[in-house]
Amino acid sequence: MGIHDILEGKKQWRAHVARIKALPPDYRIVYQEMQKYLFKVGPVDLSDGRLFAGILDFFEEGAAAGTGVLDLIGPDVAAFTDDLIKDSPTYADLYQQSLAKKANEASDRSTRP
C-alpha cells in the first residue's frame, strides 16, 4: 500500500464522515451505535467499507423519504445489525476455529503411538 492509497483512503473516509454528519440526528445516532457495535463484533470483511457505505445509502434514502429511522429498521437496532452480518464470519469465529484446530492437532498428537 503506497502513500497514494493511504491518502485516497483518508479522503474517502472524510467524505463518508461528512455524509454521516449530514444525516438527521436520529439517523446519525443509530448509525454511530451500529458502527460501534460492528467494530466490536468485527466481521472480517468490515474493512472493505461496503457494509458501512450500504447502511449509509439506506439511511440517506430513508431520511430523504421522511421515514423515521426506527420505522425503517424496526425497534430493535441490535437485531437489525446482527441480521446484516449473520452470514459474515467474524474475528471471534476465526478465533474459535483456530482454537478447535489446535485442540484437534493436540488430540491427534496424543493418540499417535
Side-chain angles (χ1 to χ4, degrees), residues 22 32 46 50 58 72 80 95 106-107 112:
Q32 290 169 337
L46 190 62
R50 291 182 307 194
F58 183 58
L72 188 68
F80 176 80
Y95 180 68
S107 175
R112 289 186 197 153

Side-chain angles (χ1 to χ4, degrees), residues 2-102:
I3 189 77
H4 178 67
D5 295 332
I6 293 170
L7 293 174
E8 185 61 31
K10 284 186 175 190
K11 181 180 172 184
Q12 290 173 358
W13 182 252
R14 286 185 185 120
H16 183 80
V17 169
R19 288 175 60 198
I20 295 167
K21 289 179 180 179
L23 289 171
D26 58 336
Y27 276 88
R28 189 171 48 250
I29 290 167
V30 170
Y31 180 88
Q32 290 169 337
E33 290 303 314
M34 290 174 67
Q35 187 179 47
K36 280 187 225 175
Y37 176 73
L38 290 169
F39 282 146
K40 286 180 187 176
V41 172
V44 175
D45 58 357
L46 190 62
S47 62
D48 70 13
R50 291 182 307 194
L51 179 62
F52 288 133
I55 294 168
L56 189 52
D57 291 342
F58 183 58
F59 279 14
E60 287 172 335
E61 290 172 15
T67 306
V69 68
L70 296 181
D71 294 329
L72 188 68
I73 67 169
D76 192 341
V77 177
F80 176 80
T81 307
D82 283 336
D83 196 43
L84 289 175
I85 61 169
K86 69 180 177 207
D87 296 327
S88 300
T90 65
Y91 288 108
D93 295 333
L94 296 179
Y95 180 68
Q96 289 296 326
Q97 289 171 1
S98 73
L99 290 178
K101 183 179 177 183
K102 286 179 184 178

